[in-house]
Amino acid sequence: MSVKFIHGPIISCASIDEQRALFEGVYGLKKVAEQEFDEAATKTLWGVEGRRSRTVLLETPGTLFGIRLIRFDPVSPIVIRDQSTGFDCDALKVIDFYAPDIAAAEAAIKRAGFKLKDEVATYELAGGKFFEGHLWGPDQVVTALIGGPKSFMSDFVSVTDRAFSEVMSVSSPVEDPAKVLAFYDQVLGLWVIHEYVIDDASFGKLVGTSHKMSLRAKNVGLSRSQPYFGIIHYGLPKGAYRSLKDRSVFPNRGIVAGTLFVTDVVKHAEAARAFGCDIVAPLASVTLKPYGRVQTVAIRGPHGVIHQLIEP
């Protein structure tokens, strides 16, 4: 396939300024483009009818990676996730950032007026001991503060000399990992670049379930050193969680999608149709800042996650 790199997540929000306060004010991303679209262009890009839209593109300086914010007008009243059921599946849940100095990172979060959940997880993996805290921000967007050995984490991020790295990954709990992995392989040409297991009870408390959790994760991408998609199964019994697939659509608010840059968008669109994916927004040519004229298609995986493919 032809994926060049995964840029990062797409967030649908009620207030772009509130999201910028988090991602610029805390995580250090910077605005690189801003654009407004009429109803016709909004439908072309994201398959949403009867709404205008405004988008702001943020990136971590010195990298190609970041976050796209979209505010649809009118704003959807539906928020995809709920903090009381943070273990629900089939929708993107968390954007991960590495923090070399956890104490300094937590202080930066507090100075910006945000707060981690009281529950945090500490667990041992092959690379050493790790810390994970979650920040539930505007539109119930979850960001994770990951701490761990710098020697190990340097394989996963390029920015290690600031309070926070670039976007390391965006993860989704899923009900059917095998089908999701087949989608990434056959439609996008991505593979498992890392996998791990967490059985520590503190992680169950972090995500808010009273059931015993046995997390199994497979990270899918092009390499460890670029953003990737985390495919997670919490190991919870049937009935202990629900699927958010019906809610995880534009223009509903939250982490709805991911952006991938490709060299042959037509090939991916054909592979998506052959796999049986929903085509959210068919292949089209649009002007998208800061890239100029691009070809784009938006496809939906079996776990409800939308993927916008862009060929400059």
Side-chain angles (χ1 to χ4, degrees):
M1 289 295 181
S2 73
V3 174
K4 293 173 64 179
F5 62 91
I6 300 166
H7 177 269
I10 300 175
I11 295 170
S12 172
C13 58
S15 169
I16 283 179
D17 288 344
E18 287 185 3
Q19 294 291 348
R20 289 181 68 181
L22 175 63
F23 289 106
E24 291 184 83
V26 174
Y27 293 112
L29 285 79
K30 301 296 181 186
K31 185 179 82 169
V32 296
E34 182 172 357
Q35 196 169 358
E36 294 189 4
F37 298 100
D38 61 16
E39 290 185 8
T42 298
K43 182 179 179 182
T44 296
L45 276 163
W46 297 299
V48 175
E49 297 198 41
R51 282 175 162 87
R52 299 174 62 85
S53 58
R54 174 181 165 228
T55 181
V56 169
L57 186 68
L58 306 174
E59 291 180 349
T60 299
T63 78
L64 298 171
F65 315 126
I67 293 168
R68 181 174 293 280
L69 306 175
I70 308 172
R71 184 187 186 276
F72 293 99
D73 183 15
V75 171
S76 171
I78 299 173
V79 180
I80 297 168
R81 282 206 171 269
D82 183 328
Q83 187 170 345
S84 67
T85 54
F87 42 86
D88 286 338
C89 69
D90 295 336
L92 290 170
K93 178 186 175 180
V94 59
I95 306 168
D96 294 323
F97 293 89
Y98 169 58
D101 184 330
I102 290 295
E106 287 189 280
I109 287 170
K110 289 179 181 178
R111 285 196 302 271
F114 295 96
K115 182 180 182 297
L116 292 179
K117 279 188 68 178
D118 290 337
E119 300 83 5
V120 298
T122 56
Y123 47 87
E124 295 275 352
L125 297 178
K129 187 172 183 178
F130 292 82
F131 168 99
E132 183 167 343
H134 287 178
L135 189 165
W136 285 74
D139 306 294
Q140 300 294 283
V141 168
V142 188
T143 51
L145 180 65
I146 308 292
K150 194 171 184 179
S151 57
F152 178 82
M153 295 303 297
S154 294
D155 287 342
F156 291 83
V157 294
S158 60
V159 176
T160 59
D161 58 351
R162 305 173 205 167
F164 301 95
S165 71
E166 74 274 29
V167 170
M168 183 170 69
S169 62
V170 56
S171 299
S172 173
V174 305
E175 189 161 25
D176 188 347
K179 190 171 183 179
V180 175
L181 292 170
F183 160 77
Y184 281 110
D185 175 31
Q186 297 174 32
V187 177
L188 297 176
L190 303 178
W191 55 87
V192 176
I193 50 116
H194 182 242
E195 53 188 299
Y196 59 94
V197 174
I198 300 176
D199 287 324
D200 195 285
S202 66
F203 205 92
K205 293 178 181 178
L206 174 65
V207 301
T209 179
S210 59
H211 293 275
K212 177 176 171 53
M213 179 173 288
S214 181
L215 182 149
R216 302 293 185 268
K218 293 182 184 292
N219 298 332
V220 175
L222 294 172
S223 73
R224 288 186 178 190
S225 59
Q226 296 183 12
Y228 52 81
F229 293 105
I231 310 306
I232 295 170
H233 194 283
Y234 284 139
L236 299 176
K238 291 280 189 181
Y241 57 92
R242 58 178 177 158
S243 173
L244 298 176
K245 193 179 295 185
D246 290 343
R247 299 172 67 87
S248 182
V249 294
F250 292 128
N252 294 347
R253 288 151 46 209
I255 313 171
V256 189
T259 302
L260 301 91
F261 282 82
V262 303
T263 58
D264 191 342
V265 71
V266 173
K267 184 176 182 180
H268 290 289
E270 291 172 349
R273 280 190 285 271
F275 192 84
C277 298
D278 293 333
I279 307 299
V280 175
L283 189 66
S285 178
V286 297
T287 298
L288 187 63
K289 295 181 180 179
Y291 316 112
R293 203 71 183 170
V294 303
Q295 282 192 295
T296 179
V297 67
I299 61 176
R300 197 165 185 238
H303 52 325
V305 174
I306 298 169
H307 302 73
Q308 183 172 35
L309 312 185
I310 296 174
E311 181 182 344

